[in-house]
Amino acid sequence: MKGGIRYHPEVDPDEVNALAQLMTWKTAVADIPYGGAKGGIGCSPRDLSKSELERLTRVFTQKIHDLIGIHTDVPAPDMGTNAQTMAWILDEYSKFHGHSPAVVTGKPIDLGGSLGREAATGRGVVYATEALLAEYWKAVKGLTFIIQGFGNVGSWVARLIHERGGKVIAVSDVTGAVKNQNGIDIPQLLKHKETTGSLTGFSGGDSLDPSELLVHECDVLVPCALGGVLNRENAAHVKAKFIIEAANHPTDPEADEILSKKGVIILPDIYANAGGVTVSYFEWVQNIQGFMWDEDKVNKELKRYMTQAFHNIKTMCQTHHCNLRMGAFTLGVNRVARATLLRGWEA
C-alpha cells in the first residue's frame, strides 16, 4: 500500500480513511502496483521546533513500525511533512528491521531518494495537461494559465509551463495574488518569493484580490492548493475552458455539475496529480534494485505513465459516454474489481 503521512491540526480518522480510498483509485488509474494507504498526526507543525517534530516522528514510527514495510505499506510526505520527516522514519524503522531504504519514499537524495521526486507532482500535472490539450489540437505554448497555490506543486507547474511558452497570467498563494496579462516572468517571481517569502510587492505584475483569481479570464485554470475552492458560489463565474485539478478535491460536487453544464473540461485530481505517487513508485523500485536512475530517465518514464493513463481514461470515456472524472474512477474501480475477482475474493 502507498500513501502520504500528514501533520495537520485537522487530521482525523474519517479524513485519513477517505484519502486512503482515494489513493486506492489513484494508484489503479496510474497503473502502479499498490493499494491505497494514508496516515497522519493531528498537530500544528508550524508551532513545533525541529527537535519536537523529530521526537514526534520517531515515537510515531515506534508505534507503527510493524504496520509499515517494504512490501506492506510504504509512506511518503504529505501536508506538513517533507524529506526530513521521511529520513527520521527511515532511521527509526531501520533500528527495528535493519537498513531498509525502500520503506518510505520522498527521502533526501543522500539517503536513497530519487532524482526528480521534488518536481514530480508538478511535472506530472504538466504532462497530464499536455495530453489533454493534444486531444483538442492545442498545446501549452500560447495559452493563458492561472495557478492557485504557489507551494511545491504550483511553483513547479508555473516554472514548467513558462518554459514551454505558456503564459502564466496570474498566481496566488496564502500571502496574496499577482497578475500580468502579458504573462508573469516566473523565474523572477520565484526569486522574489525566495527573498521575501511572499508574492506581494512583486514588480513584474499588479496585485489581485485572491478571491477574483479563480473567476479571472483564462484558458486553463490550475488549482494547486486546498480542497473545495470551486463551489456553488463561484462555479458559475469561472471563465476558464479547462480546469486541471492539481490539488486534491478542489471542485466540490455541486461545482462539478455547474461546470460540466457550462462545457468546462475538468481533468480530475486522481489522474492529474498522480505524478507524485508515480515517481514515488520509481524511487521504491530503484531502492529495491539498489540501482539509481538519472533524472532524464525518471522524467521520461513519468511522461510515459501519465500519457498512457490519459489514453486509458479516454478509452473508458468513449466506452461509457462519460466525462473525464467518471472515466478515471471507472478505470480505477474496474482495475481493482478485476484483481479482486481474479484472486477469488468475490462474495
Side-chain angles (χ1 to χ4, degrees):
M1 293 172 285
K2 192 97 194 70
I5 288 184
R6 195 169 263 215
Y7 288 3
H8 192 270
E10 277 146 47
V11 167
D12 71 82
D14 288 341
E15 185 198 45
V16 170
N17 278 320
L19 290 166
Q21 190 188 72
L22 215 55
M23 283 303 298
T24 305
W25 313 132
K26 188 183 291 190
T27 50
V29 166
D31 202 16
I32 52 186
Y34 296 133
K38 205 75 183 185
I41 299 178
C43 65
S44 298
R46 282 162 189 236
D47 303 340
L48 299 172
S49 69
K50 190 169 176 183
S51 73
E52 284 171 330
L53 281 169
E54 178 173 356
R55 296 203 314 271
L56 182 66
T57 303
R58 288 185 183 276
V59 171
F60 183 51
T61 309
Q62 286 165 21
K63 306 283 187 200
I64 63 164
H65 77 87
D66 53 353
L67 302 174
I68 62 175
I70 296 171
H71 294 292
T72 326
D73 186 334
V74 179
D78 198 292
M79 282 163 68
T81 55
N82 56 22
Q84 179 60 72
T85 322
M86 297 305 108
W88 291 327
I89 295 175
L90 165 63
D91 185 69
E92 199 59 34
Y93 180 86
S94 298
K95 291 177 186 174
F96 294 92
H97 300 274
H99 182 56
S100 321
V103 76
V104 286
T105 58
K107 298 181 292 292
I109 304 288
D110 298 331
L111 293 179
S114 177
L115 294 171
R117 176 66 187 82
E118 187 63 27
T121 309
R123 194 175 284 278
V125 167
V126 174
Y127 289 150
T129 306
E130 289 179 320
L132 174 66
L133 292 173
E135 283 287 310
Y136 295 87
W137 305 99
K138 292 181 185 331
V140 168
K141 193 177 166 68
L143 292 185
T144 56
F145 292 78
I146 287 180
I147 297 170
Q148 187 205 29
F150 206 62
N152 172 286
V153 181
S155 60
W156 275 105
V157 170
R159 190 179 317 201
L160 295 166
I161 280 169
H162 184 77
E163 278 173 19
R164 284 162 169 72
K167 261 198 210 175
V168 180
I169 56 168
V171 171
S172 76
D173 71 357
V174 285
T175 64
V178 60
K179 66 167 180 182
N180 182 341
Q181 270 317 115
N182 303 318
I184 297 167
D185 182 342
I186 298 297
Q188 285 304 118
L189 184 60
L190 285 161
K191 266 188 204 149
H192 175 81
K193 180 159 183 196
E194 210 168 294
T195 45
T196 66
S198 132
L199 294 182
T200 49
F202 176 61
S203 56
D206 307 313
S207 70
L208 171 71
D209 177 355
S211 61
E212 290 290 300
L213 184 97
L214 295 166
V215 298
H216 200 284
E217 190 87 44
C218 68
D219 296 317
V220 186
L221 173 64
V222 192
C224 301
L226 294 169
V229 293
L230 293 165
N231 47 44
R232 64 145 83 114
E233 271 75 57
N234 58 13
H237 308 296
V238 170
K239 298 177 190 68
K241 300 168 196 68
F242 299 93
I243 294 173
I244 313 291
E245 294 190 334
N248 279 321
H249 201 62
T251 317
D252 77 12
E254 289 173 325
D256 215 16
E257 208 166 299
I258 296 166
L259 291 162
S260 288
K261 284 193 179 124
K262 283 179 63 170
V264 179
I265 310 293
I266 302 175
L267 198 60
D269 52 0
I270 63 163
Y271 162 64
N273 65 30
V277 71
T278 303
V279 176
S280 266
Y281 163 57
F282 299 161
E283 181 177 330
W284 177 81
V285 166
Q286 292 169 78
N287 293 154
I288 282 176
Q289 290 193 334
F291 179 80
M292 303 310 282
W293 304 350
D294 64 30
E295 196 165 350
D296 283 346
K297 177 166 165 94
V298 174
N299 292 342
K300 201 172 124 208
E301 288 291 322
L302 174 59
K303 184 169 190 170
R304 191 167 70 82
Y305 270 79
M306 292 303 289
T307 310
Q308 186 58 53
F310 181 76
H311 293 304
N312 294 340
I313 292 169
K314 269 319 267 192
T315 306
M316 274 295 175
C317 294
Q318 282 151 2
T319 310
H320 299 284
H321 308 292
C322 60
N323 64 17
L324 290 162
R325 190 185 307 283
M326 205 59 191
F329 271 107
T330 309
L331 175 63
V333 174
N334 245 330
R335 276 201 175 125
V336 174
R338 272 208 310 279
T340 306
L341 284 168
L342 286 166
R343 293 181 64 161
W345 290 358
E346 68 270 30

